[in-house]
Amino acid sequence: MPLTQSQIADVPGGAFNVDEDEIDAPFAVAPIPAQYDGDGGHMQENVGKIIACCRQEGVPPVDYLQQFNSAPPRKTKLSSMKRLFDTKNSRDALRLLSDRRFITIDDDFKLNPTGELDMLMHMSGHFLDYVMYMGNRRGLDAALPNINVNHTMEFRLNLNMTHRLWPTSNTGDLPFIPTGRMMCIGSRMQENIWLAMVPKTILECNCTERVHLNSDTLDAPTSAMTREHSLMITMFFAHILHSMRFQDVHCIEKYPELTTHGVKHSTNILMLHIAFRNLWKNWVRQAPELWKRDQFLLDNYPVALTMRYGQNQDLRRSSNSTQVERENWNKDHDYEHVMLFSFSLASHINFSVVHEWANVPPEVILAREGNVFTAPPGHHGRQEIEDLENYDLLDEDGKEIPIYTAEGYMVLRRAPPNNRSTSGGAFLDLTKAPTLFVPEDAEEDFNIRAVPCYLYPLAFTKTLGNMQADGLIHSFQQQLPLINRNLSTHLAGHDEDDNDSLFGDMNDNHNPMDGQPILQGLRCQAYNSLSHRVRERIKFHSVQLGRITAAVSGCTATGVSAVSKWERCLQECEFMLPHEQFHVKVTGGSQPQSMRFENTYRLEVSAMMPEDKNGSVVYDRVITPLLRTWMHPDVQRSVRQVLVPLAADVVPGIFEWTTYPITCFLQLSWDNLLPQLQQPDVSIDPHVIEIISVFERVLNYAHTGAARVLIRALMDRTWTSLGLMFDGFPCVWGRFLNHDELVRNNIRIYSKQWPLDTSTQRPITSSRRVQELTYGCKHYESYIARFTILHAMKNLPQHVYVDVGDPCKRLACFAAEVGLHVYIEDIKHLVSEAVSKELRDLFLDEDDQINAELIRNRDLALQRWCDSMNPLSYTESTLMDLIRAVSDHRDEDPHLRDPQLGTQTLSFFVGKIITVCKQGNTRRQPPFIQDGKALPVLKMTIAEIRQAALSARVPADSISSFTSHAFILACKKLKINHIPWVHPRDRGAGAPSTYISHKVWLSVGAAEPPPVADAVGYRTPEETSRALVRKSSQRLIAGDPSGAWSALQVKLLHFHTVLHKAVLPLECSMANVNIPKTSPDYISSMYHWVLQNFDMTKPIHFLALFASTAFSGLLPAIHSPSDHSLLNRHSEDSRMQYIRSLPWIEKNRKGSTDPSPFIFMFTAYILGFYETSSPVGERIRKAECLRKWLDKNSAKGMTLLSLCRFGLASPRNNGVFHAGQWGKDVIALLDSTLAGKRDAVVEYLHSSPEYGAFDAIQYLAGSTTAMALVENGSGYVKARPMAQASGSSSNSASAKRMVNIFTEDDDISTSADATAITCTGPYKRPRLS
């Protein structure tokens, strides 16, 4: 089960101790280590579909996919791979990675490629690999042996393992969902003992009903009991031991406050079981109501489960061992009180080329098997062979004539003598493996097969490997009915069938009782036994765990624990790299190579007759028939056709031969980086770390075939996972890796092509889980922040901080924003955790429905606040949600508490950050959140900014102000208006608190002191000279009417300097317009018309551009309220006055952050209505549909109401508020009116360079719009001092009237801008109440 963020966060430092040594779950074909789980890998079922179809269907028009499909794959023989490995030709091996390739198996590597030799498929052993028992009543029955006294048995009670998780692969073995119900309580011999809180309904019903009750799920994150529940069970054990007067265990308080407590002792399990049964009900009855409020103790019974796995115990090795095995099964458990028993039986299949045969004497066969027959039961012409000695051994083709036992098992009449055969290994043919699960005469259909089957290609072969399925193979499943019949023969009312064979009319797969059969096949897997051998007692072998990634990424680890882990990883890799460890394991003779088929079953013991509930019956009537079924001809035939026999020692060698290019790359990377890793204070390029992680994932796939380790977002784009999925062999696209340099032992990565997360603009990584689980979440947050910054240094996006001219300052602002996003996430986590805990406690205690509804409303407000684009802003809806979430819903005056520091500036906030980051100690101080991730990230961010400043030759004494200014600009972009703070200090003695509270918020919106001199003070003489030259050239361009200019740089404040311009600004470009391919042609033509026909001398053209520039300055608040119920006037003048007083609001529309497109789009939108010769104007004149044009612009906030708000159209009626029509609800202004407005705006602009723009926009659009531009803080206009005061007061009444309008929009949604750096990603904001 993947580890959740909350689980990792519960551990100090964010690290999680992952147990990679002792196996704690049954063996699985392709387990995913925690280091590679949960990163968006490929689906395993897609592997099977690609193998079946051998093509990629529905390829989207994506560049990397089109390029991949256009590159033809090449054939490479396995013999060539072996030769490269044997000669250690790393140069040619690395060259193989540059092209698509597929591997073919030479005949020399197959055991009997021509079929001319005698080849024998035979069973080479059976093994018990997993057992699980569950009791049928309250108590520890499953852990009890079938004898009252056993001096060799020991039960160890250990209540310190409550965090242990029930294996997800065994969830289906239980008749209930284990979520929140399981607690590991110790061990008995080789068995782990679990206590499950089983629903009473499960224990009270019969087995035929239990299958329908498996939907009772508890509210818990994992299978482990919650902390409170596990402590309750712990206290019950303490109560039992106290009642037994066991040693020095005492219960001072029977039902204490639920705090951590553990018991670990050896004890008399039988007495413990008796006390467990006798004391439970009374103990629950006396428990306080607080313990019983969630019904956990009342609705469930504690029932013991035992599980043993990995023992690989031999079964029926010889006839002499049968009686001993039967006795052991009888003693091991008391089946009378066992509800069900799950187990796995593994059988090995070998192939041998026989050079000489030896006949088995007929008397030996008859003594061992009894009477023998010519055919299986039910076969036409079946006869008993009376004279076996004279019965023909071979047919005309020299093949052995088969004979069968009375039950239908095949009997071997000859065998190769010792040393007279050559054995080999085998893999599954994955192209045929799905046929195992359908009848032989049925047409196999991969998509409709009844049993889900998952294929795992190995060693880059694509079509050879392992298999896992959620059921048994069809030929084996057909043999289960008779076993079920034999288990049910003594049931009342059942007529025994005289035919005692396994093979007759077996269509009825159920026992005579209604419901499920007593014995059920749950699942199966088939894999080469080498996989079992290399990790027999551990979860994963070393090539699966990303050890090299951990070693190279840990050099920046901080803290004693993290540094110690890094040193261990480094030492381990220095001693031997993972692929070298694998080489040691598979080198030498006698390597296991047989194919291992493992079936898992469940036996409903509770449905058996009382006299049959013992180990002897289980062994004789269940285990033995299941093992012998492998000798049935149908089973042998179906299995033989899907296996590919390989020559001796090919199986262990093929993994090393085919993966040699990958191990060469890893070896090269390690050799290049090791000298750096041995130096102090070193950091490795994150691009190199990630490419190493990619190759380690590829190596994992070669050994397991698990598609989930292949991260689609990164590995598809590098072609590595595409090559593996479609060809079987990995390749790396030349756009990412320079292959010419690689064969020269140099690793050169093209960082420009590195994929970025569209919602966060962070580079996509492969190493996240390895770093988090090894060094902690905080380490990874620091790493990814540094990666983002370093990547931006080489590939800084053009759209970020366009107002900042200095490239170094732009990069510094971007880096500061990256670090501040982590700080914002810390705040969101602080508020979310604190409020959620408070609400959970209140909800459990709250019986009043009204208050319960208020609690739910607080939770909804919390969710909206967390999902908001700028959660620390003073945007009204965002601030209201925060106050609702944080304040007690019972308070008459909900508010945020004041830390009594007054309103501070952003400089104060930034100064605190920089001061704390400079300190050597790690003790957190405000503004940093306790247990947050931001402190190490911001320390690294500041260090990178300073390094970049030094590289740009910023004077050393100016770096501090340079860094501060970058952070302040980033804060403004993120709209950080307030931050959580500590509680105000009491008058008493003691140090001030450093614990940040989610209820106390400090405002940082005070006016800043006069700004520090800009970048001229930071420049070197050479840079100053270059700046002067640039300034001179800019003056020349600015004076030329045809010279290029930018509306975003001029804004409205300096619009008077471009009144002479005859060209559109740089923002008016087709690159700034996104036109879907499905759009009608007239939309694209309209934008081209504006580019070709714009004339600044025309009044409407000038006014359209001026209004568009103002419109872009309002972003993101460019929308109007949807509720106009307050409008009670009907005259055009009163209606226009109302429109000019409307506030501008933000609806968090996608793409509403970059102002560049809005200047061009709004200009074209306005001119389309006025210019009848334009494509839009022509359609208006012809009364043709404009729906696509209107929908496109209204989605961006551009409506006819917007034209009226800027005074460029006249509203004739109230239809303007409800998708009005041009010429009907809204009409154009006269040319003379437009000319007068143009002249007035120009006069205002010339009248005052400082306040003229404010006066002009106030004249054109009203005071509300003018003040909105001022309050936006983007520098578009500067308000007159008197206007600032009067504007605030005059609009206060309007703001109060409109307070409900802001929160009652039925269509409020947002998606994070793909060009913005945000950690929340896309979201849909819920409807506001």
Side-chain angles (χ1 to χ4, degrees), residues 3-11 14 16 221-222 777 829 833:
L3 302 174
T4 62
Q5 289 293 334
S6 60
Q7 285 176 276
I8 298 175
D10 286 341
V11 183
F16 198 95
T222 67
C777 294
H829 179 75
E833 288 294 313

Side-chain angles (χ1 to χ4, degrees), residues 1083-1159:
I1083 293 180
S1084 176
S1085 300
M1086 182 64 215
Y1087 292 111
H1088 285 289
W1089 186 92
V1090 173
L1091 292 174
Q1092 297 169 6
N1093 296 278
F1094 183 82
D1095 186 354
M1096 185 75 98
T1097 62
K1098 291 185 177 181
I1100 186 58
H1101 287 226
F1102 170 83
L1103 291 172
L1105 182 59
F1106 183 78
S1108 298
T1109 305
F1111 188 75
S1112 69
L1114 293 168
L1115 285 171
I1118 56 174
H1119 301 273
S1120 302
S1122 59
D1123 184 354
H1124 300 285
S1125 58
L1126 298 179
L1127 177 62
N1128 296 319
R1129 313 177 188 92
H1130 301 285
S1131 68
E1132 185 172 333
D1133 291 341
S1134 61
R1135 187 180 300 109
M1136 194 65 195
Q1137 182 180 357
Y1138 171 78
I1139 290 174
R1140 290 166 66 90
S1141 67
L1142 286 174
W1144 294 93
I1145 65 173
E1146 176 183 354
K1147 288 190 178 181
N1148 290 336
R1149 297 284 190 185
K1150 181 178 180 181
S1152 297
T1153 56
D1154 185 7
S1156 301
F1158 287 85
I1159 296 175

Side-chain angles (χ1 to χ4, degrees), residues 63 201 209 211 438 480 543 609 631 722 905 984 1045 1138 1148 1292 1326 1329:
D63 180 50
T201 51
E209 298 172 335
V211 69
V438 294
L480 295 188
V543 295
M609 293 299 294
M631 294 304 297
L722 294 178
T905 63
W1045 64 287
Y1138 171 78
N1148 290 336
S1292 59
S1329 58

Side-chain angles (χ1 to χ4, degrees), residues 103 341 433 601 635 691 766 839 870 983 1029 1298:
I103 294 176
F341 162 46
Y601 310 89
V635 176
I691 206 71
S766 168
L839 295 183
N870 298 298
H983 282 282
V1029 171
M1298 300 304 297

Side-chain angles (χ1 to χ4, degrees), residues 559-808:
V560 176
S561 175
V563 171
S564 176
K565 290 180 180 179
W566 172 63
E567 291 174 347
R568 288 199 301 271
C569 290
L570 192 62
Q571 292 170 2
E572 179 182 338
C573 290
E574 283 185 284
F575 175 73
M576 193 178 292
L577 291 177
H579 59 270
E580 295 173 327
Q581 296 181 35
F582 179 81
H583 174 74
V584 171
K585 284 190 174 184
V586 300
T587 300
S590 303
Q591 294 290 339
Q593 303 173 54
S594 58
M595 202 64 197
R596 181 180 172 105
F597 280 81
E598 184 176 303
N599 291 343
T600 301
Y601 310 89
R602 180 169 65 202
L603 182 67
E604 292 282 354
V605 180
S606 58
M608 298 171 64
M609 293 299 294
E611 61 269 22
D612 291 343
K613 294 181 180 180
N614 58 75
S616 298
V617 171
V618 171
Y619 182 78
D620 291 335
R621 296 192 190 177
V622 179
I623 303 300
T624 298
L626 287 174
L627 297 181
R628 296 199 67 184
T629 301
W630 284 104
M631 294 304 297
H632 183 261
D634 289 348
V635 176
Q636 291 249 319
R637 183 170 54 255
S638 64
V639 170
R640 180 190 293 270
Q641 68 183 5
V642 301
L643 293 179
V644 179
L646 299 174
D649 297 327
V650 170
V651 170
I654 194 172
F655 287 98
E656 296 196 281
W657 306 335
T658 57
T659 61
Y660 185 59
I662 304 301
T663 57
C664 283
F665 181 89
L666 293 173
Q667 187 72 56
L668 173 63
S669 303
W670 179 254
D671 292 341
N672 289 348
L673 294 177
L674 183 58
Q676 301 179 48
L677 293 170
Q678 293 172 336
Q679 300 297 321
D681 300 326
V682 67
S683 59
I684 307 300
D685 183 354
H687 296 93
V688 176
I689 294 175
E690 294 308 318
I691 206 71
I692 289 174
S693 177
V694 165
F695 273 77
E696 288 206 284
R697 286 178 179 267
V698 170
L699 189 59
N700 181 299
Y701 183 82
H703 285 269
T704 66
R708 281 166 55 197
V709 305
L710 307 177
I711 301 178
R712 300 186 62 182
L714 175 59
M715 298 180 68
D716 279 7
R717 285 161 177 79
T718 60
W719 287 14
T720 47
S721 58
L722 294 178
L724 290 169
M725 296 284 284
F726 291 99
D727 306 324
F729 193 81
C731 59
V732 183
W733 197 8
R735 289 191 183 181
F736 281 86
L737 191 65
N738 188 319
H739 291 282
D740 293 333
E741 290 292 324
L742 185 61
V743 297
R744 300 188 186 97
N745 293 337
N746 298 318
I747 299 176
R748 181 182 175 187
I749 301 168
Y750 298 123
S751 63
K752 187 175 182 179
Q753 299 297 329
W754 202 272
L756 305 179
D757 188 318
T758 56
S759 64
T760 65
Q761 288 299 290
R762 287 180 167 188
I764 296 174
T765 64
S766 168
S767 66
R768 178 180 70 88
R769 294 290 288 170
V770 171
Q771 295 196 50
E772 287 183 344
L773 294 171
T774 308
Y775 306 113
C777 294
K778 298 173 185 177
H779 173 88
Y780 177 75
E781 284 296 335
S782 179
Y783 167 85
I784 188 59
R786 177 173 176 268
F787 192 3
T788 305
I789 295 168
L790 293 180
H791 183 80
M793 286 182 176
K794 303 176 183 178
N795 313 282
L796 185 64
Q798 294 299 318
H799 60 269
V800 299
Y801 295 93
V802 293
D803 295 339
V804 179
D806 182 30
C808 182

Side-chain angles (χ1 to χ4, degrees), residues 196-212:
M197 292 298 288
V198 179
K200 292 180 179 180
T201 51
I202 296 292
L203 300 177
E204 293 168 355
C205 66
N206 59 49
C207 69
T208 63
E209 298 172 335
R210 277 202 299 273
V211 69
H212 304 294

Side-chain angles (χ1 to χ4, degrees), residues 88-131:
K88 304 304 177 188
N89 187 347
S90 61
R91 182 186 180 94
D92 288 345
L94 290 171
R95 201 185 304 275
L96 296 177
L97 298 173
S98 61
D99 300 304
R100 292 182 59 183
R101 297 182 182 275
F102 61 94
I103 294 176
T104 60
I105 310 296
D106 310 59
D107 285 347
D108 293 343
F109 296 105
K110 298 177 182 178
L111 187 60
N112 186 20
T114 62
E116 297 176 353
L117 304 176
D118 282 343
M119 187 167 65
L120 174 67
M121 186 183 83
H122 56 96
M123 310 305 299
S124 58
H126 302 286
F127 305 90
L128 179 67
D129 202 46
Y130 151 72
V131 292

